[in-house]
Every structure is written in C-alpha cells, then in structure tokens.
Amino acid sequence: MREVNIALIGLGTVGSGVYKTICLQKQRVEHKEGISLNLKKVLALEYAIDIPDSLKATDFYADIVSDKSIDIVIELIGGISPAKEFILAALGAGKTVVTANKDLLAQHWPELNAAAKASGAGLYFEASVGGGIPIIRTIWESLQANEITSMMGIINGTTNYILTKMAEEKLSYEEVLAQAQAQGLAEANPKSDVEGYDAMYKLSILSSLAFHARVPVEYIYREGITGITLEDIKYGQELGYTLKLLAISKREGNTVQARVHPTMIPNTHPLASIRGAFNAIYLHGNIVDDIMLYGRGAGDMPTASAVMSDVIYAANQASHKYTTFYNEKDASSEMTFEKNWESAFFLRLIVLDAPNVLAKIAGIFGSHGVSLASVMQKEHGSESVPLVLITHKAKELSVKQALGELSKIKEVTSVANAIRVES
Ligand SMILES: NC(=O)c1ccc[n+]([C@@H]2O[C@H](COP(=O)([O-])OP(=O)(O)OC[C@H]3O[C@@H](n4cnc5c(N)ncnc54)[C@H](OP(=O)(O)O)[C@@H]3O)[C@@H](O)[C@H]2O)c1
C-alpha cells in the first residue's frame, strides 16, 4: 500500500468537508486505489471542528514546507495572499498542491504553473470550477481529441439560486438576496457572486483549458445580476425564456469571445432547467458534439469530492502534467479577443402610449442594422407603458448605438433593461 502524506491548510467550509471525507472514505480509497491517505498536518486559524492535537500545525513554513515527508498540500484558505505565497513555497519544495482557489488561479496561473513545472510538482484545481462537477478533468483528460468551439455555463450557484427563486416565487432581487444571505447561500458581501467576478474567474480557467489558449480575466466582459428586476423575468417567461447568469465563451479560428452576463435562453435549452444552487456546463466539441455536465457547484462535501479526486489522481501519477498552451500573464499575441460579438437582445423600454411610436422605434433600430423578431405591448391606458422587444442577432455595438439614440427621443421614457438572448 502506497502511503500519501497530506497537509491541509484552511478548515472552513471546504477544508472541513475534506477533513471529513478523508476520515470517512480512507478505507474505500485504500481498497479502490491502493493508496493510504495519511493526513499529517492541518493548519487553521481556529479549529472549529474537533481534530487530534497531534495534527495541528502552527506555522506553515516550519511545520509543513520543511517537513520532507509531506507529499501533497491542500490549500483551502482562499484569496490571494497568503495563499499564493503558501502555494509557491510548497511547489518550490517539490510538494504537489491541490487547490480550489479560482480567484488565485485565474489571476496568477502562469506563475503557479511555472513554479510547479520548475520543481516537477503537480498543481491540481478540479474544485476551482463547478464544485463537485468533474469539468476540469473532463476537458483535460476526456475531450483531448476535440476542438472545443463553444461553452455556456451556469457556474455560480448563488446567482442561479437568486434567479430561480425570483422566477418561481415572484420575489424581487432584494428579497431573495436577503433570504439567501440569511440561509448562508450568499455571502454578507455578495459582490463577487452577484456582480459576476466569481463566474469570470471560473470562465477564464475553463476557456483557457478548453480553447488551449490563455484567456486572461482582463479579456472577459462581465455584467452581474444586480440590475435584474422581476419584470424582466416575468416578461421573459411570457415570451418563452428563462433568465440565467451565463458564462459564455466561443472560439473561431484564433478569435475568442468570453463574457459573463444575464442571458435569456429558450425554456427548451438544457441550461434552462438548472434550478437553485446547481451548476451546469454545456459545451460543444467538434468530435463529441454537445455535452452537458451537471451537479452541485458548491458546498462542503461536493467540493471536497473534487478536491479528493485531485489528491488521489496526483498520488497515482509518476510525473505531472502542465499546461501546454502559451500560459503567460497576457494572452498570446496570436489571439484576438472579440468585443463586438453578435447576439439577440431582449429589450424592455418604457414608451409613450401613442400612435406610431413602434414604427419610430423600429425605424431607429433599422437604421443601425438591427431588426426586430418580436414585440409585446400588453398595457394600455396610462401615459407611459412597457414595450418589450426581442431583436434578431445583431452586433453588440449596433444595439448599444440604437439604444443610445432611442433614449434621446421623447417617445421613449426610458430603456429599462437590455438583456442578451442566446439559443
Ligand atoms: N465554499 C464552497 O462551496 C467552495 C466551492 C468551490 C471552491 N471554493 C474555494 O475553496 C476555498 C475555500 O473556501 P471556503 O468556502 O472553505 O472558505 P472559508 O469557509 O472562508 O474557509 C477558509 C478558511 O481558511 C482559514 N484561513 C484563512 N487564512 C488562513 C491562514 N493564513 N492559515 C490558516 N487558515 C487560514 C479561514 O479562517 P478564518 O475564517 O478564521 O479567517 C477559514 O476557516 C476558496 O478558494 C473558495 O473559492 C469554495
């Protein structure tokens, strides 16, 4: 039986899940893999769960980096510093690192990858995207023969929970956010989730692996869900759409578009059925065709499942694998990042209830090359009424210019929302 000596840093949500998993599944892993998981040290600021004193570390460098017997360091403290320094020190000492830290990986991957390569240690991060969903290894180890051309994902559980609750219980964004915070499903400071940063980091990691080209976060368009209202969701529903915060990336030749934003998708789209805090990633490879992976995108035990898959995988490798694409701070000069991509739009305008208003609006869209696919105006009688339009696919810039022009005419009281539509 091969013994693998492990140090765990961080004993919060995921760290506690990993600790429990090692205790619970130790024998199963021995039977299945012939590996004995030997937890040697645990470093935490506070020990909220009961662990033997003999495991408790007090100093990362003295107790873990300097301990030559430790093979694998599991980093679950999150954030950039000191996580980055800890990981670099562990890699520098030849220890394989398993991390769930998407913020760090998305922003400092080149440096971490180079440090791992230099010492021959492994760097694994299955839990950084999609919680328990094995999406990283699926792209890296199961879809190698494919050219992956597009990816759409619900990769932030908090926002999917909020949008699902708003749609199903007809509640406002503020009401659902407060409920989610009370239940621990959203952070007290929800910015990273609701403004799309978390999904942006994850999309950077996934797109880089899928497209075999680094997609730095700076090239990803980001828009969160804070401007979404119940009206948008209700009108979308009436038109047969479900509203999701999607992470979308596409590659055509050497051109990549990567974006995170609220998106209307037809109710028949596989991603429309993903409810609550669940995640799903839907991608297209030229050989495999369409594929969707679905599961719990967060939580102590699902995320621990992904962390432990990395630990066991790493323990089984004679030598480790590193990224083979141009993995530097900026993207390769061969790559172009599209900002003026094409998509359809759901537009909610507040307009004067008067004759010829629609003709004037359609005329302005037409002058920017934007054509309308459907129009819905249900309310009449008051001075200003909502008008909901779905455009055909159009260039981003054309729609924005048309909306700019519309917002200046007296017939349009306001552009209440503009939400992209994907099919
Ligand atoms: N939660 C999830 O479902 C989930 C899913 C996927 C990925 N992740 C990623 O997993 C990582 C951990 O997330 P989490 O939710 O478990 O966070 P968490 O609950 O906040 O746990 C982090 C723990 O690390 C401790 N810590 C901070 N600095 C430390 C240090 N210098 N030395 C030792 N311990 C330290 C914290 O202690 P204090 O609380 O006392 O500061 C806290 O207990 C993050 O990178 C996160 O993005 C989380």
Side-chain angles (χ1 to χ4, degrees):
M1 178 88 59
R2 224 152 10 99
E3 195 161 271
V4 179
N5 293 320
I6 300 165
L8 169 63
I9 36 174
L11 208 52
T13 306
V14 184
S16 304
V18 165
Y19 181 78
K20 284 183 218 156
T21 305
I22 293 175
C23 299
L24 273 173
Q25 305 294 90
K26 189 172 160 48
Q27 282 192 341
R28 186 175 301 274
V29 174
E30 285 173 8
H31 285 307
K32 283 169 103 172
E33 301 283 333
I35 293 170
S36 168
L37 300 171
N38 182 24
L39 186 61
K40 279 202 83 176
K41 287 286 173 215
V42 178
L43 179 69
L45 296 178
E46 277 175 44
Y47 292 89
I49 58 170
D50 198 21
I51 68 166
D53 284 342
S54 59
L55 292 184
K56 292 178 184 171
T58 49
D59 182 84
F60 178 70
Y61 297 93
D63 298 338
I64 294 171
V65 178
S66 304
D67 183 341
K68 288 197 167 42
S69 72
I70 291 175
D71 307 299
I72 298 181
V73 173
I74 306 176
E75 180 276 310
L76 295 170
I77 63 177
I80 305 298
S81 187
K84 184 179 164 199
E85 293 78 16
F86 283 3
I87 291 180
L88 288 173
L91 292 172
K95 300 181 192 308
T96 282
V97 170
V98 172
T99 178
N101 195 332
K102 61 260 176 179
D103 310 40
L104 178 63
L105 198 71
Q107 296 176 85
H108 298 279
W109 193 354
E111 201 179 337
L112 305 181
N113 186 61
K117 212 169 168 179
S119 71
L123 174 65
Y124 295 90
F125 43 87
E126 180 63 71
S128 64
V129 184
I133 305 172
I135 182 64
I136 304 279
R137 199 154 297 116
T138 298
I139 294 175
W140 243 19
E141 302 281 334
S142 306
L143 297 174
Q144 305 98 313
N146 284 267
E147 180 190 0
I148 298 175
T149 50
S150 70
M151 188 157 44
M152 281 213 263
I154 295 171
I155 51 179
N156 180 271
T158 304
T159 47
N160 202 54
Y161 172 85
I162 293 173
L163 294 173
T164 307
K165 269 259 191 203
M166 286 173 73
E168 293 182 357
E169 297 179 22
K170 306 286 179 276
L171 297 172
S172 71
Y173 169 76
E174 291 74 18
E175 280 173 293
V176 180
L177 176 62
Q179 280 184 13
Q181 284 171 320
Q183 290 168 24
L185 287 163
E187 304 275 340
N189 177 358
K191 185 175 170 179
S192 179
D193 292 321
V194 298
E195 293 189 3
Y197 288 95
D198 176 78
M200 176 185 73
Y201 294 138
K202 292 167 175 170
L203 184 64
S204 167
I205 298 167
L206 281 189
S207 305
S208 302
L209 290 172
F211 300 151
H212 202 68
R214 181 155 151 82
V215 179
V217 290
E218 294 76 19
Y219 293 99
I220 301 180
Y221 173 82
R222 177 192 53 78
E223 186 184 313
I225 63 163
T226 51
I228 295 299
T229 66
L230 187 54
E231 279 69 40
D232 298 317
I233 292 178
K234 280 190 195 162
Y235 281 117
Q237 286 173 330
E238 288 193 39
L239 290 162
Y241 293 103
T242 303
L243 183 63
K244 297 290 184 189
L245 180 73
L246 291 193
I248 300 170
S249 61
K250 298 178 186 179
R251 176 172 181 162
E252 204 180 327
N254 277 355
T255 303
V256 167
Q257 52 171 279
R259 42 195 168 104
V260 171
H261 53 67
T263 315
M264 295 280 183
I265 45 173
N267 292 337
T268 48
H269 193 287
L271 287 173
S273 62
I274 310 305
R275 298 174 60 248
F278 277 86
N279 279 198
I281 298 107
Y282 181 80
L283 55 83
H284 181 85
N286 64 336
I287 310 296
V288 72
D289 207 279
D290 292 334
I291 175 169
M292 184 161 99
L293 278 79
Y294 165 81
R296 289 204 183 272
D300 56 351
M301 302 314 272
T303 311
S305 166
V307 168
M308 292 315 297
S309 88
D310 274 349
V311 170
I312 295 160
Y313 183 88
N316 275 325
Q317 301 308 300
S319 62
H320 299 287
K321 188 170 158 183
Y322 309 99
T323 55
T324 49
F325 52 82
Y326 179 87
N327 197 351
E328 299 296 334
K329 191 164 174 19
D330 202 357
S332 156
S333 57
E334 285 174 9
M335 302 305 297
T336 307
F337 292 87
E338 180 66 84
K339 286 195 183 114
N340 192 19
W341 60 80
E342 268 198 337
S343 60
F345 266 84
F346 162 101
L347 303 168
R348 186 164 63 83
L349 311 179
I350 308 297
V351 301
L352 293 186
D353 193 11
N356 294 328
V357 169
L358 185 58
K360 185 153 187 189
I361 290 171
I364 290 176
F365 277 119
S367 71
H368 289 275
V370 180
S371 60
L372 301 180
S374 61
V375 176
M376 183 167 78
Q377 183 180 357
K378 289 185 23 179
E379 294 171 33
H380 287 283
S382 48
E383 199 181 329
S384 288
V385 290
L387 176 70
V388 175
L389 311 168
I390 304 281
T391 72
H392 285 294
K393 269 191 179 178
K395 290 277 188 193
E396 188 74 11
L397 222 54
S398 309
V399 176
K400 285 194 173 147
Q401 283 165 352
L403 290 176
E405 203 173 312
L406 280 170
S407 63
K408 290 187 196 127
I409 63 169
K410 66 173 185 339
E411 289 84 352
V412 175
T413 314
S414 70
V415 176
N417 219 339
I419 299 171
R420 294 163 191 85
V421 178
E422 291 281 329
S423 48

